[in-house]
Amino acid sequence: MSNTKDITDNDALRLVCRDSLAGFAQTMFEDYRPAPVHELIAQKVEQCFERKIRALIVVAPPRMGKSQICSVAFPAWALTKNPKLSIIQAAYSEGLAGKFAQDTKAVLRSAKYAQLFPQVIDTSLDRQNEFRTLQGGSYLAVGIGSGTTGRGCDVLICDDLIKDRKEADSATIRNGVWDWLTSTALTRLSPNGVVIITMTRWAPDDPVGRFIAQSRKGDYELLNLPVYAEADVALGRTIGEPLWPERWPRELLERKRGQLLRRDW
């Protein structure tokens, strides 16, 4: 009797995970409870998977949970729904990109995942920053400046292409990042490919600023999520309401503000 109940529960949970990226994340990450901001980001990323959004830009302060959704949960969820996809994950360094790769693979190898879904990763090609799926899909994590020659992708995820204020203040680094993004990364996209860019804004001339300036309206969707609501239609926050009050209530945010230079807040 208990076996029948387990099968029924797993079937229901499997449907939740397939239908909802936020539900998938909540199932796979222990003690994870998505806040409204994470549910909103997840909904927008789902629309990228469905090709309803071809270029999504998510702008939010550091430590607000955007990477866990966009750069860990989403690649695992997308390859679960379509294991023939090719995904390239980019970050400002090989180390950060590799961390995203390891965290994504940890989801796909977890006991909870195995309880609900068949194996995805092809163990014959499973490297630190790269793996292939049993159905012919692929995942590759790269740092800025890395070559991707011969590698196409259906989904390009760019997460924190600028490390910090010091890098953002360097015109040489900003130009180098933009050159790599436009001449290397974006050229890897398939005809029906999508790009997801998540960043903390450091400068008007950063990759997000340039991407917006050089794109036509309607070619991208911008999800701007300031730490305190300014005119927040998407989340329904009142003016001045914190972005993630469950983890970062106003008291902690103000303490953090007092520890930072004004230009870094």
Side-chain angles (χ1 to χ4, degrees):
M1 198 71 177
S2 61
N3 288 339
T4 302
K5 184 177 186 300
D6 288 343
I7 292 173
T8 302
D9 289 347
N10 284 344
D11 286 346
L13 193 54
R14 189 179 298 111
L15 287 174
V16 169
C17 288
R18 284 191 178 279
D19 290 346
S20 166
L21 174 55
F24 179 86
Q26 187 167 350
T27 300
M28 296 299 157
F29 302 139
E30 188 175 359
D31 298 327
Y32 179 74
R33 295 292 180 271
V37 60
H38 307 126
E39 293 177 349
L40 175 61
I41 293 172
Q43 289 168 9
K44 295 298 182 181
V45 174
E46 286 175 1
Q47 291 176 28
C48 290
F49 179 83
E50 297 164 352
R51 304 302 191 270
K52 294 177 181 177
I53 298 175
R54 301 299 296 271
L56 173 67
I57 301 170
V58 180
V59 174
R63 312 303 300 168
M64 290 293 166
K66 59 187 183 296
S67 292
Q68 190 168 21
I69 289 290
C70 295
S71 296
V72 181
F74 174 65
W77 179 79
L79 289 171
T80 299
K81 289 177 69 70
N82 182 2
K84 294 183 179 181
L85 281 178
S86 293
I87 297 175
I88 292 180
Q89 171 79 54
Y92 63 77
S93 70
E94 290 281 353
L96 181 58
K99 177 68 164 56
F100 291 144
Q102 294 304 310
D103 289 349
T104 298
K105 288 197 286 187
V107 172
L108 295 172
R109 291 170 172 162
S110 68
K112 174 59 75 174
Y113 188 90
Q115 178 184 331
L116 299 173
F117 301 107
Q119 179 178 332
V120 169
I121 296 176
D122 181 351
T123 55
S124 70
L125 201 167
D126 182 7
R127 304 184 181 124
Q128 183 174 355
N129 286 22
E130 177 184 8
F131 63 87
R132 185 170 57 202
T133 72
L134 290 167
Q135 291 76 18
S138 64
Y139 174 100
L140 175 66
V142 297
I144 293 293
S146 299
T148 56
T149 303
R151 301 293 299 267
C153 66
D154 304 303
V155 179
L156 172 65
I157 306 169
C158 300
D159 193 328
D160 281 339
L161 297 180
I162 298 286
K163 180 181 180 180
D164 52 24
R165 171 68 66 186
K166 183 178 180 180
E167 286 197 357
D169 283 345
S170 168
T172 300
I173 291 178
R174 292 197 311 273
N175 290 337
V177 170
W178 181 248
D179 287 346
W180 180 86
L181 179 62
T182 54
S183 66
T184 300
L186 288 173
T187 64
R188 301 293 95 199
L189 277 173
S190 64
N192 200 34
V194 299
V195 58
I196 299 167
I197 302 174
T198 72
M199 276 193 65
T200 296
R201 296 297 305 272
W202 296 103
D205 191 36
D206 64 15
V208 165
R210 296 191 189 193
F211 191 94
I212 291 172
Q214 298 188 24
S215 299
R216 296 176 303 178
K217 287 185 177 180
D219 285 350
Y220 66 90
E221 180 160 337
L222 172 63
L223 187 59
N224 188 31
L225 301 167
V227 66
Y228 288 133
E230 297 166 359
D232 203 329
V233 177
L235 278 173
R237 292 186 292 168
T238 58
I239 301 298
E241 185 178 346
L243 182 61
W244 188 6
E246 297 86 351
R247 181 174 176 84
W248 290 101
R250 185 180 302 277
E251 179 184 355
L252 287 182
L253 288 173
E254 289 305 307
R255 188 183 307 165
K256 185 176 181 181
R257 189 209 290 258
Q259 297 168 347
L260 300 175
L261 295 175
R262 182 179 180 86
R263 68 195 297 256
D264 291 329
W265 173 251

